[in-house]
Amino acid sequence: MFEDPQSSDEEFPVPDADACSGKELVKLFQQEISPSSEIAASLKRTCGLHIAQSCEYDTLAVGLSRKELQLYRVRESGELALENGSLGRYESAIRGVRFFNGDPNSLFCCTEDGDIHLYDIRTGSEVHHFEETSEGAKKTISSCDINQSDRVLCASSEVQKNGDSFLLFFDVRERNYLGCYWECHSDDITHVRFHPTNPDLFASASVDGLINVFDISKLTEDDAMQYCFNIETAIDAINWHSDPTGRDLVSCVTTTNDLHLYDVESQDSVALFNREQITHSMRRTSSIDCNVVGTHNYGNGSFFVLAGSNFNKGKECLRTLRYDNKCLLPDRSFNGNKQIVRASVYNDKDQYLIATGECGLITLWKCRMDGTEQTSTINSASKNLKQKLHGNVSAMGSKVSIITNEQLAEYAELTYLSKAEIIFILQKFLLLDGGRQFSLTKRFPEQDVVNLFPQLKHNPFRDRLLHVFSSENDDRFSFEDLLDLFSVLSEKCPLAVKATWAFQIYDFDNDKLITKEDILELCDRITKHDRLEQTEKMTIADLLLKEMDLQNNGNIGEFEFIHALSKMPEFRQTFSCRV
């Protein structure tokens, strides 16, 4: 093992540069982010190889190539501060660092010589030392992870002298060795990851090119094996994700910097991005310098790829690519990076990325952006609107019996409407049944609702608005559905939120893509009284696709659409109406 790993590409540097102009990069990547905080792990040469963050996000553990484990505090301001000069120093290389999922004070670290150290970071002391010596010599450890319930710890091994590689299991609470699997891989096991919510499900990856998914509740290794994927090349790292329907996906980064994505249950390949495609998505010129660090999940179910360039010691490029509809789209650009990044963590709650790498620096970038934050929370706000104000209220008596001041305040907080606008909409809505047995969730035929509001009656997208905002998709509307609709059409609604809903409205065939056919339909509706010629509409469609279709696949995904509209501030006004 090398004392201080370095990028192999640095020995023979090749020219690498941005594949487009700076102006185009600004247009493609929503954010150019500068470091908020940075700290050096040591005054001596070292490399940050492993990084983990506690479940409360305030503590960071970093494993260094100098066989040292350090702790850092992440303050509320985003500043990094050294918490513990050295939590542990070891005889062999660190192969994994992991906090418990439910206990921010418990941390374990595994080392190459077969030791797994469990720490209580409050005291800075080691509370237990796991090892497996059933066959005499300890096995060479390559990675480790702990399951969602913090009960089972799994460590993987390299190939041992007998030709086997092992998955070792330990009971964390009872502090004992449970057993092992040894028939699943034929080469070094490089990475193990437990499922984020199912404590019995975990995946392993190996140099043999296999990803195996196990259910450890089964009694034998054969029964535990659930799925197997053959990547046909050595695998460096794996991660769990989910698609919009909640189906489990597993991704892997290969040693050649390719990215594979699989549907776990069907075992189908969902997407494959080789290093040339990833380099193109980053808008760089040299694929040989492409460095795929790993993947991270966004809180809304999607995920992104963190990748950079090895050229010029990594200083040229560190960017994220967002996965959307089997495409990798430009997302964020991290300026001020000073090293080839080897490990990273992402905090979706506070939206910051922390990375470490070959110069031994730990760097924090704050990624929060108002529009993005609002886009990701619009659906949850709408859901809260339904849940918090679900109670039926009699219309008999005064106005207060229909909607209380507390409810009115809740509506105003969860929408972009003023209290006066909410009351006006309610008064209109009461006309539908004269206020008799009225409730906030009672549903009325769409046509009755449309007749109350000229803004809807004469809107060329009336049918799409009603389809998208009818919460039950039953051709009927409730008062709360109407609040959702007018909230998005409010002039106060942020551009990013409007764009999210506009995508659904303009997706006329509901296939979650805006195609050329959708654009042609859009043209017809906008020019209803002065129809364009087919050639004119085709020209418009081609121009829009050229501008917005970042992946050149003939259609526009949701992220591409939102990304494009974020550059068109005038859309906020055109996609608005007053109550």
Side-chain angles (χ1 to χ4, degrees):
M1 298 295 294
F2 293 100
E3 181 71 15
D4 291 298
Q6 299 182 55
S7 165
S8 59
D9 291 336
E10 279 299 303
E11 298 177 11
F12 304 100
V14 295
D16 186 24
D18 289 325
C20 57
S21 67
K23 184 177 180 180
E24 289 177 285
L25 284 176
V26 171
K27 180 180 178 182
L28 288 168
F29 290 88
Q30 290 190 41
Q31 291 178 276
E32 291 191 349
I33 308 166
S34 297
S36 297
S37 181
E38 187 171 76
I39 191 169
S42 173
L43 295 177
K44 299 179 181 179
R45 179 174 176 81
T46 189
C47 174
L49 295 176
H50 304 278
I51 191 168
Q53 193 167 22
S54 70
C55 59
E56 293 185 352
Y57 306 111
D58 60 349
T59 309
L60 194 71
V62 179
L64 303 174
S65 63
R66 300 180 69 86
K67 306 170 187 176
E68 182 180 352
L69 178 64
Q70 293 183 343
L71 280 184
Y72 294 85
R73 182 67 62 183
V74 184
R75 295 173 177 164
E76 290 186 5
S77 62
E79 182 183 358
L80 296 169
L82 185 64
E83 177 76 6
N84 187 312
S86 179
L87 187 62
R89 297 179 187 271
Y90 311 103
E91 296 297 322
S92 64
I94 295 173
R95 290 304 187 91
V97 179
R98 187 77 161 80
F99 278 94
F100 280 38
N101 295 292
D103 182 0
N105 299 309
S106 294
L107 166 75
F108 66 86
C109 172
C110 66
T111 57
E112 185 180 17
D113 60 6
D115 294 320
I116 303 172
H117 307 268
L118 177 61
Y119 294 95
D120 184 335
I121 65 172
R122 290 169 296 188
T123 61
S125 60
E126 182 175 340
V127 296
H128 191 71
H129 176 200
F130 294 96
E131 62 181 15
E132 193 282 305
T133 57
S134 60
E135 297 181 357
K138 292 184 291 186
K139 296 174 175 61
T140 307
I141 297 296
S142 57
S143 71
C144 58
D145 197 15
I146 191 168
N147 74 341
Q148 186 271 337
S149 63
D150 293 331
R151 182 64 187 266
V152 178
L153 188 155
C154 177
S156 63
S157 84
E158 297 177 351
V159 173
Q160 305 302 294
K161 291 182 179 180
N162 62 2
D164 293 325
S165 51
F166 293 82
L167 292 168
L168 310 172
F169 298 95
F170 301 87
D171 188 318
V172 177
R173 296 178 190 173
E174 299 297 328
R175 305 283 201 262
N176 59 26
Y177 172 63
L178 294 173
C180 66
Y181 298 159
W182 67 89
E183 298 177 344
C184 49
H185 291 290
S186 60
D187 211 325
D188 296 347
I189 301 173
T190 53
H191 202 198
V192 291
R193 284 298 297 267
F194 276 97
H195 190 276
T197 58
N198 185 340
D200 294 327
L201 206 62
F202 89 101
S204 62
S206 170
V207 174
D208 63 14
L210 298 181
I211 299 175
N212 294 322
V213 178
F214 299 91
D215 180 351
I216 61 173
S217 67
K218 307 299 182 182
L219 295 179
T220 67
E221 181 176 353
D222 287 342
D223 291 339
M225 173 78 80
Q226 302 296 300
Y227 309 102
C228 179
F229 309 95
N230 189 356
I231 312 302
E232 299 183 346
T233 189
I235 302 167
D236 184 54
I238 53 176
N239 201 2
W240 290 92
H241 312 285
S242 62
D243 71 5
T245 67
R247 293 174 65 88
D248 285 328
L249 306 176
V250 64
S251 68
C252 76
V253 178
T254 69
T255 55
T256 55
N257 287 285
D258 300 331
L259 177 71
H260 297 249
L261 186 66
Y262 287 89
D263 183 305
V264 174
E265 186 173 349
S266 70
Q267 301 186 65
D268 292 332
S269 174
V270 177
L272 165 61
F273 306 98
N274 59 37
R275 67 190 299 172
E276 287 77 16
Q277 292 170 311
I278 295 171
T279 301
H280 173 74
S281 295
M282 286 196 296
R283 300 308 192 264
R284 299 292 289 181
T285 59
S286 174
S287 62
I288 195 172
D289 286 297
C290 177
N291 171 36
V292 180
V293 181
T295 63
H296 294 289
N297 290 305
Y298 283 120
N300 58 8
S302 61
F303 70 91
F304 66 87
V305 180
L306 178 64
S309 171
N310 287 337
F311 182 68
N312 194 19
K313 298 182 179 180
K315 299 176 183 178
E316 297 286 328
C317 170
L318 183 65
R319 292 166 184 166
T320 58
L321 305 171
R322 186 185 185 98
Y323 177 78
D324 180 60
N325 187 35
K326 301 183 180 181
C327 297
L328 289 181
L329 306 177
D331 187 18
R332 294 162 172 163
S333 181
F334 296 88
N335 297 335
N337 179 53
K338 302 173 184 175
Q339 62 187 341
I340 295 173
V341 173
R342 290 303 179 206
S344 61
V345 291
Y346 177 70
N347 175 1
D348 183 68
K349 176 178 176 288
D350 296 314
Q351 295 186 32
Y352 60 72
L353 177 81
I354 305 176
T356 187
E358 294 192 2
C359 290
L361 299 173
I362 299 99
T363 309
L364 183 149
W365 289 270
K366 288 185 177 180
C367 309
R368 184 179 295 277
M369 182 174 69
D370 291 340
T372 303
E373 181 184 11
Q374 289 163 331
T375 301
S376 64
T377 59
I378 180 64
N379 290 329
S380 61
S382 179
K383 183 177 180 181
N384 288 337
L385 185 65
K386 304 292 189 292
Q387 292 176 340
K388 290 186 176 182
L389 305 170
H390 191 267
N392 291 346
V393 185
S394 172
M396 301 299 291
S398 67
K399 289 183 180 179
V400 176
S401 65
I402 296 174
I403 180 170
T404 66
N405 288 332
E406 290 77 12
Q407 287 174 313
L408 181 60
E410 289 268 21
Y411 280 128
E413 180 181 353
L414 293 170
T415 67
Y416 299 102
L417 299 170
S418 67
K419 292 182 180 180
E421 289 171 324
I422 294 168
I423 292 172
F424 176 79
I425 294 171
L426 178 60
Q427 289 172 338
K428 283 272 194 178
F429 220 74
L430 288 172
L431 298 175
L432 292 175
D433 67 352
R436 295 182 297 274
Q437 297 181 342
F438 179 81
S439 79
L440 299 177
T441 55
K442 186 174 181 179
R443 307 184 67 76
F444 295 92
E446 288 179 348
Q447 190 56 50
D448 292 349
V449 175
V450 167
N451 290 336
L452 292 175
F453 297 94
Q455 306 96 313
L456 298 180
K457 189 173 184 179
H458 303 292
N459 192 303
F461 302 101
R462 180 182 68 191
D463 61 319
R464 294 300 302 164
L465 287 165
L466 297 175
H467 171 78
V468 169
F469 285 96
S470 176
S471 58
E472 302 295 333
N473 293 319
D474 58 356
D475 297 325
R476 303 176 76 84
F477 250 58
S478 70
F479 171 66
E480 293 172 351
D481 290 342
L482 200 61
L483 283 191
D484 279 342
L485 187 155
F486 279 114
S487 175
V488 172
L489 295 179
S490 169
E491 294 178 349
K492 299 175 184 177
C493 182
L495 176 58
V497 178
K498 286 180 178 289
T500 301
W501 288 97
F503 178 84
Q504 299 179 53
I505 292 167
Y506 299 154
D507 176 19
F508 294 101
D509 55 5
N510 301 314
D511 63 352
K512 298 183 179 180
L513 294 170
I514 292 182
T515 61
K516 180 174 286 189
E517 289 71 24
D518 290 323
I519 298 174
L520 297 179
E521 174 68 18
L522 181 64
C523 290
D524 283 340
R525 292 187 180 226
I526 293 175
T527 60
K528 183 176 181 181
H529 301 294
D530 188 16
R531 290 291 179 95
L532 298 174
E533 296 293 333
Q534 184 68 14
T535 54
E536 294 176 305
K537 292 189 294 183
M538 291 295 290
T539 299
I540 292 172
D542 290 338
L543 287 172
L544 286 175
L545 286 171
K546 181 180 179 181
E547 181 69 21
M548 301 170 71
D549 179 14
L550 301 180
Q551 291 296 314
N552 297 317
N553 55 8
N555 53 59
I556 302 167
E558 181 177 1
F559 181 76
E560 291 172 306
F561 182 82
I562 296 171
H563 177 75
L565 290 193
S566 68
K567 309 297 182 182
M568 304 177 189
E570 66 276 8
F571 179 78
R572 182 173 178 177
Q573 291 299 119
T574 59
F575 197 76
S576 298
C577 72
R578 294 185 178 181
V579 176

